[in-house]
Amino acid sequence: MTIPASIKNRLTLPAIAAPMFLVSGPDLVIATCKAGVIGSFPAMNARTSTEFADWMTKIIEETGPYAAPYAVNFPLSRMKGGQLDDYFDICRKYRTPIIITSVGNPASIVDEIHDWGGLVFHDVTTVHHAKKAVAAGVDGLILVCAGAGGHAGAATPFALVEQVRAFFDGILIVAGGISTGRAIRAAEVLGADLAYLGTRFIATKEAMAEEDYKNMILQEETQDIVYTNSISGLPANFMRSSLQAVGLDANDLPKPEGPFRPNLPDGITAWKSVWSAGQGVGLIEDSPSTADLVLQMTAEYQSACAMD
Ligand SMILES: Cc1cc2nc3c(=O)[nH]c(=O)nc-3n(C[C@H](O)[C@H](O)[C@H](O)COP(=O)(O)O)c2cc1C
């Protein structure tokens, strides 16, 4: 299965603005979808199920049937108590077109999402996990490759995409340092259907990130990105200046106690006080509106296509 025509016809670029904890909210999703790129947000960015339902209503009302579809992200094993059920019920009610699952096995919810006509895309970083997700029945695999913002894999897309394509003919999505229209085209040439961009969308007017965070994205270079499991308890990329700002030494970070169990000094938390970004920061020099960013990337994409 490639991308259904009902989705493809509504895209100006074959891309998804990836879900980012504390960064992606309704304004970014709406601006992204209206610009013709799939917009997404982590369900947990809405603090309660009531707020989540309000966000969904706003997104659906303001994007309408012709904009690109939106996606909701569920970090399955990180959702507490009945939180997953509560939020999931709301997605069922609104027939959310795309659910992006991460950290956990999506097998138990895939059938239900298909029943309401939705697609399931799942985050993986290795061939082993890609095979498990295919067995769970997902429609799309998101290959989170080296250099991606947030929790990232260690494999280069040049190795991973072709290996996964060899056994998976579903929707293939690739992530890791993609910040330009030319790189989106490169992802397609490698064999992906869609590119997945997080960091590039932090520096946009509609992102919920605070101004200092956006400015740091403009200033930081690729060599400033630190790949470590010390901050969240799983391997992830963070900006060196952000580590320094809270008094952490990138060369001497505390060892985590286990997955999702970092061992940081009091008051320091991943994502909130230590800011994440991928290696694509080295290409980001402005903080435009999402509409302008998509226009600029579309021009870059088209000029790359013209060189085929
Ligand atoms: C600040 C930040 C927060 C993130 N939060 C999430 C999240 O809540 N759920 C998720 O599935 N991925 C999350 N990610 C990963 C992105 O969805 C995506 O895989 C990644 O940003 C792509 O790489 P790029 O940033 O190099 O474009 C986050 C990334 C960043 C930079």
Side-chain angles (χ1 to χ4, degrees), residues 32-260:
T32 308
C33 295
K34 280 181 156 175
V37 165
I38 297 169
S40 71
F41 68 102
M44 280 155 64
N45 276 359
R47 277 152 302 185
T48 61
S49 54
T50 310
E51 186 178 35
F52 181 64
D54 289 345
W55 285 17
M56 296 279 277
T57 317
K58 186 173 174 190
I59 290 167
I60 292 161
E61 277 174 10
E62 294 194 26
T63 54
Y66 305 113
Y70 72 95
V72 173
N73 166 232
F74 288 105
L76 298 170
S77 64
R78 303 294 294 154
M79 298 193 75
K80 297 183 191 109
Q83 200 184 25
L84 178 60
D85 291 339
D86 291 350
Y87 284 51
F88 196 71
D89 285 348
I90 295 164
C91 289
R92 184 188 303 107
K93 177 177 164 198
Y94 289 108
R95 297 172 175 267
T96 298
I98 301 167
I99 300 288
I100 294 172
T101 51
S102 49
V103 288
N105 189 334
S108 63
I109 54 174
V110 164
D111 286 347
E112 210 179 335
I113 296 165
H114 287 164
D115 284 349
W116 79 58
L119 298 173
V120 187
F121 298 168
H122 187 69
D123 263 21
V124 296
T125 56
T126 62
V127 169
H128 172 72
H129 285 109
K131 286 185 173 163
K132 279 180 84 170
V134 173
V138 302
D139 308 282
L141 290 174
I142 302 167
L143 308 182
V144 186
C145 296
H151 293 131
T156 158
F158 288 100
L160 208 50
V161 173
E162 287 193 60
Q163 286 181 65
V164 173
R165 234 338 154 216
F167 62 85
F168 180 64
D169 63 1
I171 301 169
L172 201 52
I173 303 144
V174 67
I178 302 177
S179 291
T180 64
R182 179 183 293 268
I184 293 172
R185 178 65 190 142
E188 283 187 318
V189 172
L190 262 184
D193 298 292
L194 294 166
Y196 202 61
L197 290 76
T199 301
R200 175 58 271 201
F201 282 89
I202 300 174
T204 58
K205 300 227 176 325
E206 293 84 357
M208 296 194 298
E210 55 194 92
E211 283 310 304
D212 287 350
Y213 190 169
K214 294 180 185 179
N215 289 334
M216 198 179 280
I217 295 271
L218 307 191
Q219 271 145 30
E220 215 76 341
E221 300 297 341
T222 297
Q223 73 260 18
D224 301 321
I225 300 304
V226 179
Y227 187 56
T228 176
N229 62 358
S230 291
I231 308 300
S232 83
L234 284 185
N237 280 308
F238 293 92
M239 291 185 283
R240 190 180 303 271
S241 300
S242 178
L243 295 166
Q244 284 164 349
V246 294
L248 291 173
D249 176 356
N251 299 317
D252 187 21
L253 290 167
K255 278 202 166 47
E257 286 166 16
F260 295 112

